[in-house]
Amino acid sequence: MKNNYPGLFGGLVISCSLLLTACDRNAPAPSAQAPHPVGVVRLRSQSLPVQSELPGRVSAFRMADVRPQVSGIIQKRNFVEGSHVHEGESLYQIDPATYQAALNSARGDLARATAAATQAHLTANRYRALIKTHYVSQQDCDTAVANAQQADAQVVAQKAVVEQAQINLNYTKVTSPISGVIGKSSVTEGALVTESQSSALATVQQLDPVYIDVTQSSDDFLELKSEMEKGQIKQQNGQADVMLQLDNGRLYPRKCQLEFSDVTVDQTTGSITVRAVCPNPDNTLLPGMFVRAHLTEGVRKDALLVPQQAITRTPRGDATAMVVDNHNKAQVRRVQAAQATGNQWRVTAGLSAGDRVIATGQLMLRPGMTVMPTEDDSMAAWAPGNSAGGK
């Protein structure tokens, strides 16, 4: 008798398979994938201050070297090193004895010349009266008149000698040419100084206000100038504001003003010098101090700012952003991120005002996917900060 169990089991398996297939065909189709939730920022044009962070050095507003104008021995120093002195204030006293004697001698020669001139004029006047009676010749009269004129000239010359002697005597008091802070003295009492010496006795510097000399790339300067000529950047009040950051990281509390830009480019660095004037009533800024100057050179119109988290980089380094199109689908745009400003990028190409840029929810998001956008205006607000890059 044959065993029919294998055939029976085979038929049951086939029947079950057909039944399951029929059930699958009759089952309802799965629902479409839900839209991916994302946070978007709608771009809008706005005004953006054009700022540059440049290294600089502090220099005195005015600086004068104190040098002797006559030779002699220093008798006294009349100032305290590091103190504030006023213009015309006596700083050193040179021994005036020889110069006083020279002045007295010149005054005596002037008195002698004046007396001789008086006598010559009396003689000339007498000869003019006698020539009418023919008691003197015409030649003697002319000679007397000429002698009187020579005597007058001698008086003028002696007055100049007296004036020069008085000037030399005044120069024995070495005074400050400007008001400011005086540095250390290079001489003490008893030192011999000469009028032609090259070394200064001391240096006076005016420290309120002070100059801030910063260097700017000539390329950045030309680009800024071009944008201003095109009207893309406008200066406020015709001047550029400058804020200083000290070497210890603190911000200087007073605002400076840009004064001028040099017209010569440094051949070794390719940069130009930009000078600002800064008030310094407390002498916080000292000559030679290193600072970083934040220049607000104008306002850029129609700038597009994108949150930094919305910009990504490809392996080649290209900047990209994902936007939501009119059909709520994600699309990738290649952009140009020219400048980081606070927590945002200033984009110059690839995006336009009105675009909805995806700022959050990019994880597992692929181009072409349907998204559910939610606008977040808080991320669109411009947050000020240090510029990381050029203009």
Side-chain angles (χ1 to χ4, degrees):
M1 183 176 179
K2 295 183 179 179
N3 187 2
N4 294 327
Y5 286 107
L8 179 59
F9 284 123
L12 290 174
V13 171
I14 295 174
S15 300
C16 290
S17 299
L18 293 175
L19 180 61
L20 291 175
T21 302
C23 292
D24 291 340
R25 289 177 180 176
N26 295 330
S31 60
Q33 185 177 5
H36 187 81
V38 294
V40 299
V41 173
R42 188 178 295 273
L43 300 185
R44 64 179 185 273
S45 300
Q46 56 185 299
S47 298
L48 177 67
V50 179
Q51 296 181 337
S52 301
E53 182 179 341
L54 304 174
R57 292 281 180 182
V58 180
S59 60
F61 188 77
R62 289 197 298 171
M63 184 174 65
D65 289 336
V66 179
R67 286 187 172 86
Q69 294 177 280
V70 293
S71 302
I73 301 296
I74 296 293
Q75 283 187 334
K76 188 177 181 181
R77 191 187 74 187
N78 301 320
F79 66 92
V80 178
E81 295 174 326
S83 63
H84 189 277
V85 296
H86 298 281
E87 181 178 354
E89 181 179 341
S90 177
L91 303 179
Y92 297 93
Q93 177 62 59
I94 299 176
D95 185 5
T98 56
Y99 297 100
Q100 183 65 57
L103 175 60
N104 294 338
S105 176
R107 287 173 175 171
D109 293 340
L110 175 60
R112 187 181 303 108
T114 301
T118 301
Q119 179 64 36
H121 278 286
L122 292 174
T123 302
N125 292 335
R126 189 180 305 112
Y127 277 26
R128 287 191 186 97
L130 294 176
I131 195 174
K132 298 177 180 179
T133 59
H134 302 285
Y135 282 105
V136 295
S137 64
Q138 183 66 42
Q139 181 178 359
D140 292 339
C141 181
D142 293 341
T143 301
V145 173
N147 290 338
Q149 294 175 347
Q150 290 180 357
D152 290 340
Q154 187 65 29
V155 171
V156 173
Q158 286 301 321
K159 285 182 178 179
V161 173
V162 171
E163 185 176 357
Q164 182 63 52
Q166 183 66 61
I167 290 174
N168 290 338
L169 179 62
N170 294 339
Y171 280 161
T172 59
K173 290 184 178 181
V174 183
T175 60
S176 176
I178 62 173
S179 298
V181 178
I182 191 167
K184 65 179 181 179
S185 175
S186 63
V187 296
T188 58
E189 291 83 351
L192 174 64
V193 295
T194 59
E195 58 178 328
S196 59
Q197 70 180 47
S198 58
S199 59
L201 304 181
T203 301
V204 181
Q205 300 181 88
Q206 181 179 342
L207 301 182
D208 184 23
V210 293
Y211 285 130
I212 309 297
D213 294 326
V214 300
T215 55
Q216 183 180 32
S217 168
S218 59
D219 294 337
D220 292 343
F221 175 78
L222 293 176
E223 179 183 356
L224 178 65
K225 183 178 179 181
S226 175
E227 291 180 341
M228 285 184 175
E229 292 175 350
K230 295 177 181 178
Q232 298 174 352
I233 296 177
K234 290 186 177 181
Q235 279 191 333
Q236 294 179 329
N237 303 325
Q239 289 184 327
D241 294 332
V242 182
M243 294 300 296
L244 299 182
Q245 183 178 2
L246 304 181
D247 202 16
N248 58 5
R250 293 190 301 109
L251 288 178
Y252 187 66
R254 292 177 174 83
K255 185 180 296 185
C256 310
Q257 292 292 332
L258 185 66
E259 185 170 82
F260 85 100
S261 298
D262 203 352
V263 295
T264 303
V265 178
D266 191 332
Q267 298 181 0
T268 58
T269 61
S271 60
I272 61 175
T273 299
V274 180
R275 169 167 282 185
V277 178
C278 192
N280 187 34
D282 302 327
N283 291 347
T284 302
L285 303 175
L286 301 177
M289 182 181 292
F290 175 81
V291 295
R292 300 200 68 84
H294 298 266
L295 276 69
T296 303
E297 298 172 296
V299 176
R300 189 188 305 277
K301 301 187 303 181
D302 302 331
L304 289 179
L305 297 180
V306 180
Q308 288 188 356
Q309 64 265 31
I311 302 297
T312 58
R313 296 282 178 176
T314 65
R316 296 178 54 184
D318 298 329
T320 61
M322 299 194 76
V323 299
V324 179
D325 62 12
N326 295 332
H327 302 288
N328 284 344
K329 292 184 180 296
Q331 302 293 338
V332 176
R333 298 269 187 90
R334 180 176 295 180
V335 300
Q336 291 184 5
Q339 176 191 1
T341 304
N343 58 3
Q344 303 204 356
W345 281 102
R346 180 173 66 87
V347 175
T348 58
L351 296 173
S352 58
D355 287 344
R356 293 181 296 173
V357 178
I358 299 175
T360 59
Q362 299 99 320
L363 187 63
M364 305 298 294
L365 182 63
R366 297 186 302 274
M369 290 180 59
T370 303
V371 297
M372 183 174 60
T374 301
E375 292 192 17
D376 188 351
D377 294 334
S378 63
M379 291 186 295
W382 174 65
N386 295 334
S387 298
K391 289 175 280 298

